[in-house]
mmCIF file of all heavy atoms in Angstrom:
data_model
loop_
_atom_site.group_PDB
_atom_site.id
_atom_site.type_symbol
_atom_site.label_atom_id
_atom_site.label_comp_id
_atom_site.label_asym_id
_atom_site.label_seq_id
_atom_site.Cartn_x
_atom_site.Cartn_y
_atom_site.Cartn_z
ATOM 1 N N ALA B 33 42.612 28.888 45.165
ATOM 2 C CA ALA B 33 42.597 28.575 43.732
ATOM 3 C C ALA B 33 42.212 29.821 42.941
ATOM 4 O O ALA B 33 41.437 30.647 43.398
ATOM 5 C CB ALA B 33 41.600 27.456 43.447
ATOM 6 N N GLN B 34 42.801 29.900 41.769
ATOM 7 C CA GLN B 34 42.500 31.045 40.934
ATOM 8 C C GLN B 34 41.148 30.857 40.253
ATOM 9 O O GLN B 34 40.788 29.740 39.871
ATOM 10 C CB GLN B 34 43.575 31.209 39.861
ATOM 11 C CG GLN B 34 44.939 31.574 40.408
ATOM 12 C CD GLN B 34 45.719 30.374 40.906
ATOM 13 O OE1 GLN B 34 45.410 29.249 40.556
ATOM 14 N NE2 GLN B 34 46.706 30.612 41.737
ATOM 15 N N THR B 35 40.415 31.933 40.127
ATOM 16 C CA THR B 35 39.138 31.897 39.409
ATOM 17 C C THR B 35 39.095 33.034 38.409
ATOM 18 O O THR B 35 39.702 34.092 38.618
ATOM 19 C CB THR B 35 37.935 32.011 40.359
ATOM 20 O OG1 THR B 35 38.042 33.238 41.080
ATOM 21 C CG2 THR B 35 37.881 30.853 41.326
ATOM 22 N N VAL B 36 38.377 32.808 37.325
ATOM 23 C CA VAL B 36 38.195 33.794 36.272
ATOM 24 C C VAL B 36 36.701 33.930 36.016
ATOM 25 O O VAL B 36 36.014 32.914 35.839
ATOM 26 C CB VAL B 36 38.918 33.368 34.983
ATOM 27 C CG1 VAL B 36 38.687 34.386 33.876
ATOM 28 C CG2 VAL B 36 40.415 33.197 35.241
ATOM 29 N N THR B 37 36.217 35.152 35.996
ATOM 30 C CA THR B 37 34.782 35.398 35.837
ATOM 31 C C THR B 37 34.511 36.322 34.664
ATOM 32 O O THR B 37 35.088 37.409 34.569
ATOM 33 C CB THR B 37 34.192 36.017 37.116
ATOM 34 O OG1 THR B 37 34.443 35.148 38.224
ATOM 35 C CG2 THR B 37 32.690 36.215 36.968
ATOM 36 N N GLN B 38 33.647 35.861 33.779
ATOM 37 C CA GLN B 38 33.161 36.702 32.688
ATOM 38 C C GLN B 38 31.666 36.892 32.929
ATOM 39 O O GLN B 38 30.901 35.944 32.812
ATOM 40 C CB GLN B 38 33.435 36.042 31.334
ATOM 41 C CG GLN B 38 34.906 35.932 31.016
ATOM 42 C CD GLN B 38 35.165 35.239 29.691
ATOM 43 O OE1 GLN B 38 35.688 34.135 29.659
ATOM 44 N NE2 GLN B 38 34.787 35.886 28.600
ATOM 45 N N SER B 39 31.282 38.088 33.245
ATOM 46 C CA SER B 39 29.905 38.334 33.697
ATOM 47 C C SER B 39 28.929 38.604 32.571
ATOM 48 O O SER B 39 27.728 38.778 32.807
ATOM 49 C CB SER B 39 29.895 39.525 34.664
ATOM 50 O OG SER B 39 30.419 40.669 34.019
ATOM 51 N N GLN B 40 29.422 38.659 31.333
ATOM 52 C CA GLN B 40 28.553 38.942 30.185
ATOM 53 C C GLN B 40 28.418 37.673 29.336
ATOM 54 O O GLN B 40 29.293 37.381 28.543
ATOM 55 C CB GLN B 40 29.151 40.063 29.319
ATOM 56 C CG GLN B 40 29.488 41.338 30.059
ATOM 57 C CD GLN B 40 30.567 42.139 29.339
ATOM 58 O OE1 GLN B 40 31.562 41.578 28.901
ATOM 59 N NE2 GLN B 40 30.373 43.448 29.232
ATOM 60 N N PRO B 41 27.330 36.928 29.479
ATOM 61 C CA PRO B 41 27.176 35.722 28.672
ATOM 62 C C PRO B 41 27.113 36.035 27.167
ATOM 63 O O PRO B 41 27.608 35.261 26.360
ATOM 64 C CB PRO B 41 25.860 35.121 29.146
ATOM 65 C CG PRO B 41 25.624 35.731 30.474
ATOM 66 C CD PRO B 41 26.243 37.102 30.431
ATOM 67 N N GLU B 42 26.501 37.167 26.836
ATOM 68 C CA GLU B 42 26.361 37.538 25.429
ATOM 69 C C GLU B 42 26.541 39.045 25.272
ATOM 70 O O GLU B 42 26.128 39.823 26.134
ATOM 71 C CB GLU B 42 24.972 37.149 24.898
ATOM 72 C CG GLU B 42 24.682 35.665 24.926
ATOM 73 C CD GLU B 42 23.321 35.334 24.324
ATOM 74 O OE1 GLU B 42 22.869 36.082 23.445
ATOM 75 O OE2 GLU B 42 22.720 34.334 24.735
ATOM 76 N N MET B 43 27.149 39.417 24.142
ATOM 77 C CA MET B 43 27.287 40.822 23.768
ATOM 78 C C MET B 43 27.032 40.925 22.268
ATOM 79 O O MET B 43 27.267 39.968 21.530
ATOM 80 C CB MET B 43 28.680 41.343 24.099
ATOM 81 C CG MET B 43 28.985 41.444 25.576
ATOM 82 S SD MET B 43 28.152 42.833 26.345
ATOM 83 C CE MET B 43 29.156 44.205 25.737
ATOM 84 N N SER B 44 26.592 42.111 21.843
ATOM 85 C CA SER B 44 26.424 42.332 20.415
ATOM 86 C C SER B 44 26.958 43.702 20.053
ATOM 87 O O SER B 44 27.022 44.610 20.903
ATOM 88 C CB SER B 44 24.960 42.197 20.007
ATOM 89 O OG SER B 44 24.184 43.202 20.628
ATOM 90 N N VAL B 45 27.347 43.844 18.796
ATOM 91 C CA VAL B 45 27.921 45.102 18.318
ATOM 92 C C VAL B 45 27.600 45.260 16.843
ATOM 93 O O VAL B 45 27.465 44.272 16.112
ATOM 94 C CB VAL B 45 29.447 45.113 18.566
ATOM 95 C CG1 VAL B 45 30.145 44.027 17.757
ATOM 96 C CG2 VAL B 45 30.053 46.479 18.270
ATOM 97 N N GLN B 46 27.487 46.490 16.401
ATOM 98 C CA GLN B 46 27.309 46.766 14.977
ATOM 99 C C GLN B 46 28.682 46.753 14.305
ATOM 100 O O GLN B 46 29.689 47.163 14.901
ATOM 101 C CB GLN B 46 26.657 48.126 14.763
ATOM 102 C CG GLN B 46 25.202 48.216 15.215
ATOM 103 C CD GLN B 46 24.286 47.362 14.364
ATOM 104 O OE1 GLN B 46 23.460 46.624 14.890
ATOM 105 N NE2 GLN B 46 24.424 47.458 13.048
ATOM 106 N N GLU B 47 28.691 46.291 13.099
ATOM 107 C CA GLU B 47 29.921 46.307 12.303
ATOM 108 C C GLU B 47 30.501 47.724 12.311
ATOM 109 O O GLU B 47 29.770 48.710 12.215
ATOM 110 C CB GLU B 47 29.586 45.878 10.873
ATOM 111 C CG GLU B 47 30.758 45.411 10.057
ATOM 112 C CD GLU B 47 30.331 44.875 8.696
ATOM 113 O OE1 GLU B 47 29.124 44.935 8.370
ATOM 114 O OE2 GLU B 47 31.204 44.393 7.964
ATOM 115 N N ALA B 48 31.833 47.796 12.458
ATOM 116 C CA ALA B 48 32.606 49.048 12.483
ATOM 117 C C ALA B 48 32.558 49.774 13.834
ATOM 118 O O ALA B 48 33.289 50.757 14.024
ATOM 119 C CB ALA B 48 32.192 50.013 11.389
ATOM 120 N N GLU B 49 31.719 49.299 14.758
ATOM 121 C CA GLU B 49 31.659 49.912 16.075
ATOM 122 C C GLU B 49 32.652 49.248 17.027
ATOM 123 O O GLU B 49 33.359 48.294 16.682
ATOM 124 C CB GLU B 49 30.241 49.815 16.640
ATOM 125 C CG GLU B 49 29.197 50.565 15.824
ATOM 126 C CD GLU B 49 29.421 52.072 15.827
ATOM 127 O OE1 GLU B 49 29.582 52.641 16.918
ATOM 128 O OE2 GLU B 49 29.435 52.669 14.736
ATOM 129 N N THR B 50 32.695 49.760 18.250
ATOM 130 C CA THR B 50 33.612 49.267 19.281
ATOM 131 C C THR B 50 32.831 48.556 20.372
ATOM 132 O O THR B 50 31.726 48.982 20.743
ATOM 133 C CB THR B 50 34.415 50.434 19.886
ATOM 134 O OG1 THR B 50 35.225 51.026 18.868
ATOM 135 C CG2 THR B 50 35.302 49.965 21.023
ATOM 136 N N VAL B 51 33.392 47.471 20.872
ATOM 137 C CA VAL B 51 32.760 46.717 21.957
ATOM 138 C C VAL B 51 33.826 46.334 22.983
ATOM 139 O O VAL B 51 34.993 46.126 22.637
ATOM 140 C CB VAL B 51 32.062 45.452 21.404
ATOM 141 C CG1 VAL B 51 33.067 44.479 20.795
ATOM 142 C CG2 VAL B 51 31.227 44.759 22.470
ATOM 143 N N THR B 52 33.399 46.266 24.235
ATOM 144 C CA THR B 52 34.308 45.887 25.318
ATOM 145 C C THR B 52 33.760 44.678 26.067
ATOM 146 O O THR B 52 32.607 44.688 26.513
ATOM 147 C CB THR B 52 34.521 47.050 26.300
ATOM 148 O OG1 THR B 52 35.108 48.153 25.600
ATOM 149 C CG2 THR B 52 35.440 46.642 27.443
ATOM 150 N N LEU B 53 34.582 43.659 26.203
ATOM 151 C CA LEU B 53 34.223 42.447 26.936
ATOM 152 C C LEU B 53 34.934 42.469 28.296
ATOM 153 O O LEU B 53 36.120 42.780 28.363
ATOM 154 C CB LEU B 53 34.640 41.202 26.146
ATOM 155 C CG LEU B 53 34.172 41.121 24.693
ATOM 156 C CD1 LEU B 53 34.589 39.786 24.087
ATOM 157 C CD2 LEU B 53 32.695 41.341 24.574
ATOM 158 N N SER B 54 34.199 42.102 29.330
ATOM 159 C CA SER B 54 34.726 42.207 30.696
ATOM 160 C C SER B 54 35.243 40.873 31.230
ATOM 161 O O SER B 54 34.731 39.811 30.868
ATOM 162 C CB SER B 54 33.632 42.729 31.632
ATOM 163 O OG SER B 54 33.186 43.994 31.214
ATOM 164 N N CYS B 55 36.231 40.983 32.107
ATOM 165 C CA CYS B 55 36.790 39.800 32.761
ATOM 166 C C CYS B 55 37.375 40.236 34.101
ATOM 167 O O CYS B 55 38.079 41.247 34.185
ATOM 168 C CB CYS B 55 37.871 39.177 31.894
ATOM 169 S SG CYS B 55 38.814 37.838 32.682
ATOM 170 N N THR B 56 37.072 39.497 35.135
ATOM 171 C CA THR B 56 37.734 39.706 36.430
ATOM 172 C C THR B 56 38.329 38.385 36.875
ATOM 173 O O THR B 56 37.889 37.314 36.455
ATOM 174 C CB THR B 56 36.757 40.229 37.499
ATOM 175 O OG1 THR B 56 35.688 39.294 37.647
ATOM 176 C CG2 THR B 56 36.206 41.579 37.119
ATOM 177 N N TYR B 57 39.327 38.454 37.714
ATOM 178 C CA TYR B 57 39.998 37.240 38.166
ATOM 179 C C TYR B 57 40.380 37.393 39.624
ATOM 180 O O TYR B 57 40.418 38.511 40.166
ATOM 181 C CB TYR B 57 41.231 36.957 37.304
ATOM 182 C CG TYR B 57 42.248 38.074 37.308
ATOM 183 C CD1 TYR B 57 43.334 38.052 38.169
ATOM 184 C CD2 TYR B 57 42.098 39.169 36.460
ATOM 185 C CE1 TYR B 57 44.253 39.090 38.188
ATOM 186 C CE2 TYR B 57 43.011 40.211 36.471
ATOM 187 C CZ TYR B 57 44.078 40.172 37.338
ATOM 188 O OH TYR B 57 44.983 41.201 37.354
ATOM 189 N N ASP B 58 40.628 36.285 40.239
ATOM 190 C CA ASP B 58 41.010 36.286 41.636
ATOM 191 C C ASP B 58 42.274 35.459 41.787
ATOM 192 O O ASP B 58 42.302 34.295 41.375
ATOM 193 C CB ASP B 58 39.893 35.698 42.507
ATOM 194 C CG ASP B 58 40.205 35.798 43.984
ATOM 195 O OD1 ASP B 58 40.980 36.704 44.365
ATOM 196 O OD2 ASP B 58 39.687 34.981 44.757
ATOM 197 N N THR B 59 43.305 36.037 42.367
ATOM 198 C CA THR B 59 44.552 35.330 42.602
ATOM 199 C C THR B 59 45.317 35.996 43.732
ATOM 200 O O THR B 59 45.163 37.199 43.968
ATOM 201 C CB THR B 59 45.421 35.300 41.332
ATOM 202 O OG1 THR B 59 46.593 34.531 41.566
ATOM 203 C CG2 THR B 59 45.827 36.707 40.898
ATOM 204 N N SER B 60 46.142 35.219 44.382
ATOM 205 C CA SER B 60 47.041 35.754 45.397
ATOM 206 C C SER B 60 48.472 35.841 44.862
ATOM 207 O O SER B 60 49.379 36.281 45.575
ATOM 208 C CB SER B 60 47.004 34.886 46.653
ATOM 209 O OG SER B 60 47.364 33.553 46.346
ATOM 210 N N GLU B 61 48.651 35.402 43.612
ATOM 211 C CA GLU B 61 49.967 35.441 43.000
ATOM 212 C C GLU B 61 50.304 36.844 42.514
ATOM 213 O O GLU B 61 49.411 37.643 42.222
ATOM 214 C CB GLU B 61 50.003 34.469 41.809
ATOM 215 C CG GLU B 61 49.650 33.046 42.146
ATOM 216 C CD GLU B 61 50.742 32.339 42.917
ATOM 217 O OE1 GLU B 61 51.910 32.752 42.794
ATOM 218 O OE2 GLU B 61 50.429 31.395 43.663
ATOM 219 N N SER B 62 51.600 37.129 42.421
ATOM 220 C CA SER B 62 52.023 38.422 41.878
ATOM 221 C C SER B 62 52.551 38.282 40.453
ATOM 222 O O SER B 62 52.585 39.249 39.705
ATOM 223 C CB SER B 62 53.105 39.043 42.772
ATOM 224 O OG SER B 62 54.216 38.160 42.862
ATOM 225 N N ASP B 63 52.952 37.063 40.098
ATOM 226 C CA ASP B 63 53.496 36.802 38.762
ATOM 227 C C ASP B 63 52.506 35.927 38.006
ATOM 228 O O ASP B 63 52.293 34.768 38.371
ATOM 229 C CB ASP B 63 54.852 36.094 38.874
ATOM 230 C CG ASP B 63 55.457 35.791 37.517
ATOM 231 O OD1 ASP B 63 55.081 36.461 36.534
ATOM 232 O OD2 ASP B 63 56.304 34.880 37.444
ATOM 233 N N TYR B 64 51.915 36.479 36.973
ATOM 234 C CA TYR B 64 50.943 35.706 36.207
ATOM 235 C C TYR B 64 50.760 36.323 34.831
ATOM 236 O O TYR B 64 51.296 37.395 34.535
ATOM 237 C CB TYR B 64 49.602 35.606 36.938
ATOM 238 C CG TYR B 64 48.985 36.930 37.347
ATOM 239 C CD1 TYR B 64 48.146 37.626 36.473
ATOM 240 C CD2 TYR B 64 49.229 37.471 38.600
ATOM 241 C CE1 TYR B 64 47.582 38.826 36.855
ATOM 242 C CE2 TYR B 64 48.675 38.677 38.980
ATOM 243 C CZ TYR B 64 47.848 39.356 38.109
ATOM 244 O OH TYR B 64 47.287 40.545 38.479
ATOM 245 N N TYR B 65 50.010 35.619 33.993
ATOM 246 C CA TYR B 65 49.723 36.072 32.649
ATOM 247 C C TYR B 65 48.214 35.987 32.426
ATOM 248 O O TYR B 65 47.538 35.116 32.979
ATOM 249 C CB TYR B 65 50.432 35.193 31.612
ATOM 250 C CG TYR B 65 51.930 35.179 31.765
ATOM 251 C CD1 TYR B 65 52.552 34.305 32.646
ATOM 252 C CD2 TYR B 65 52.727 36.052 31.033
ATOM 253 C CE1 TYR B 65 53.924 34.288 32.795
ATOM 254 C CE2 TYR B 65 54.103 36.048 31.179
ATOM 255 C CZ TYR B 65 54.693 35.165 32.067
ATOM 256 O OH TYR B 65 56.054 35.161 32.215
ATOM 257 N N LEU B 66 47.735 36.867 31.593
ATOM 258 C CA LEU B 66 46.317 36.871 31.233
ATOM 259 C C LEU B 66 46.196 36.813 29.715
ATOM 260 O O LEU B 66 47.032 37.383 29.001
ATOM 261 C CB LEU B 66 45.634 38.128 31.771
ATOM 262 C CG LEU B 66 45.606 38.247 33.299
ATOM 263 C CD1 LEU B 66 45.254 39.663 33.715
ATOM 264 C CD2 LEU B 66 44.617 37.253 33.894
ATOM 265 N N PHE B 67 45.170 36.138 29.258
ATOM 266 C CA PHE B 67 44.973 35.929 27.831
ATOM 267 C C PHE B 67 43.510 36.131 27.460
ATOM 268 O O PHE B 67 42.611 35.907 28.272
ATOM 269 C CB PHE B 67 45.354 34.491 27.434
ATOM 270 C CG PHE B 67 46.738 34.072 27.838
ATOM 271 C CD1 PHE B 67 46.971 33.562 29.102
ATOM 272 C CD2 PHE B 67 47.785 34.175 26.952
ATOM 273 C CE1 PHE B 67 48.243 33.162 29.487
ATOM 274 C CE2 PHE B 67 49.061 33.775 27.318
ATOM 275 C CZ PHE B 67 49.286 33.275 28.586
ATOM 276 N N TRP B 68 43.304 36.523 26.220
ATOM 277 C CA TRP B 68 41.995 36.431 25.587
ATOM 278 C C TRP B 68 42.135 35.485 24.400
ATOM 279 O O TRP B 68 43.030 35.656 23.565
ATOM 280 C CB TRP B 68 41.499 37.793 25.109
ATOM 281 C CG TRP B 68 40.900 38.622 26.191
ATOM 282 C CD1 TRP B 68 41.490 39.611 26.909
ATOM 283 C CD2 TRP B 68 39.556 38.534 26.685
ATOM 284 N NE1 TRP B 68 40.613 40.148 27.814
ATOM 285 C CE2 TRP B 68 39.417 39.509 27.703
ATOM 286 C CE3 TRP B 68 38.450 37.737 26.369
ATOM 287 C CZ2 TRP B 68 38.220 39.696 28.396
ATOM 288 C CZ3 TRP B 68 37.271 37.928 27.060
ATOM 289 C CH2 TRP B 68 37.161 38.911 28.069
ATOM 290 N N TYR B 69 41.242 34.486 24.379
ATOM 291 C CA TYR B 69 41.160 33.558 23.267
ATOM 292 C C TYR B 69 39.807 33.734 22.596
ATOM 293 O O TYR B 69 38.805 34.034 23.236
ATOM 294 C CB TYR B 69 41.289 32.105 23.745
ATOM 295 C CG TYR B 69 42.694 31.654 24.086
ATOM 296 C CD1 TYR B 69 43.202 31.793 25.370
ATOM 297 C CD2 TYR B 69 43.504 31.061 23.117
ATOM 298 C CE1 TYR B 69 44.479 31.346 25.689
ATOM 299 C CE2 TYR B 69 44.779 30.614 23.425
ATOM 300 C CZ TYR B 69 45.266 30.769 24.717
ATOM 301 O OH TYR B 69 46.534 30.337 25.028
ATOM 302 N N LYS B 70 39.806 33.473 21.307
ATOM 303 C CA LYS B 70 38.586 33.537 20.498
ATOM 304 C C LYS B 70 38.296 32.134 19.982
ATOM 305 O O LYS B 70 39.203 31.434 19.502
ATOM 306 C CB LYS B 70 38.827 34.494 19.325
ATOM 307 C CG LYS B 70 37.855 34.426 18.180
ATOM 308 C CD LYS B 70 38.342 35.330 17.050
ATOM 309 C CE LYS B 70 37.455 35.221 15.834
ATOM 310 N NZ LYS B 70 37.945 36.075 14.723
ATOM 311 N N GLN B 71 37.033 31.707 20.081
ATOM 312 C CA GLN B 71 36.643 30.394 19.579
ATOM 313 C C GLN B 71 35.443 30.549 18.655
ATOM 314 O O GLN B 71 34.300 30.635 19.086
ATOM 315 C CB GLN B 71 36.320 29.434 20.722
ATOM 316 C CG GLN B 71 36.093 28.002 20.273
ATOM 317 C CD GLN B 71 35.854 27.050 21.430
ATOM 318 O OE1 GLN B 71 35.143 27.379 22.376
ATOM 319 N NE2 GLN B 71 36.447 25.858 21.367
ATOM 320 N N PRO B 72 35.681 30.580 17.345
ATOM 321 C CA PRO B 72 34.572 30.665 16.381
ATOM 322 C C PRO B 72 33.847 29.323 16.299
ATOM 323 O O PRO B 72 34.278 28.350 16.917
ATOM 324 C CB PRO B 72 35.294 31.006 15.068
ATOM 325 C CG PRO B 72 36.686 30.525 15.251
ATOM 326 C CD PRO B 72 36.988 30.586 16.712
ATOM 327 N N PRO B 73 32.767 29.273 15.544
ATOM 328 C CA PRO B 73 32.022 28.006 15.410
ATOM 329 C C PRO B 73 32.875 26.851 14.897
ATOM 330 O O PRO B 73 32.529 25.696 15.118
ATOM 331 C CB PRO B 73 30.912 28.368 14.417
ATOM 332 C CG PRO B 73 30.698 29.827 14.643
ATOM 333 C CD PRO B 73 32.066 30.397 14.928
ATOM 334 N N SER B 74 33.971 27.147 14.238
ATOM 335 C CA SER B 74 34.881 26.088 13.779
ATOM 336 C C SER B 74 35.575 25.376 14.938
ATOM 337 O O SER B 74 36.246 24.359 14.733
ATOM 338 C CB SER B 74 35.948 26.670 12.848
ATOM 339 O OG SER B 74 36.791 27.562 13.574
ATOM 340 N N ARG B 75 35.460 25.888 16.150
ATOM 341 C CA ARG B 75 35.960 25.304 17.408
ATOM 342 C C ARG B 75 37.421 25.613 17.704
ATOM 343 O O ARG B 75 37.863 25.428 18.837
ATOM 344 C CB ARG B 75 35.789 23.775 17.441
ATOM 345 C CG ARG B 75 34.434 23.284 17.128
ATOM 346 C CD ARG B 75 34.337 21.767 17.162
ATOM 347 N NE ARG B 75 35.519 21.076 16.717
ATOM 348 C CZ ARG B 75 35.504 19.813 16.277
ATOM 349 N NH1 ARG B 75 34.367 19.170 16.212
ATOM 350 N NH2 ARG B 75 36.613 19.231 15.915
ATOM 351 N N GLN B 76 38.190 26.040 16.723
ATOM 352 C CA GLN B 76 39.610 26.299 16.963
ATOM 353 C C GLN B 76 39.768 27.464 17.927
ATOM 354 O O GLN B 76 39.291 28.562 17.674
ATOM 355 C CB GLN B 76 40.305 26.640 15.641
ATOM 356 C CG GLN B 76 41.777 26.908 15.768
ATOM 357 C CD GLN B 76 42.622 25.682 15.487
ATOM 358 O OE1 GLN B 76 42.311 24.919 14.584
ATOM 359 N NE2 GLN B 76 43.702 25.502 16.226
ATOM 360 N N MET B 77 40.454 27.236 19.022
ATOM 361 C CA MET B 77 40.723 28.261 20.014
ATOM 362 C C MET B 77 41.920 29.079 19.528
ATOM 363 O O MET B 77 43.024 28.562 19.399
ATOM 364 C CB MET B 77 41.029 27.593 21.354
ATOM 365 C CG MET B 77 41.052 28.534 22.536
ATOM 366 S SD MET B 77 39.423 28.971 23.129
ATOM 367 C CE MET B 77 38.998 27.482 24.023
#
Side-chain angles (χ1 to χ4, degrees):
Chain B
Q34 294 82 18
T35 59
V36 178
T37 303
Q38 294 178 248
S39 59
Q40 306 156 315
E42 298 183 29
M43 292 286 285
S44 64
V45 64
Q46 292 293 133
E47 199 174 4
E49 297 295 310
T50 297
V51 64
T52 299
L53 308 184
S54 300
C55 172
T56 58
Y57 59 96
D58 185 26
T59 184
S60 58
E61 303 287 335
S62 59
D63 180 22
Y64 54 88
Y65 301 85
L66 296 165
F67 306 86
W68 279 98
Y69 283 90
K70 164 186 176 181
Q71 188 177 41
S74 66
R75 308 179 326 202
Q76 181 95 39
M77 192 79 77

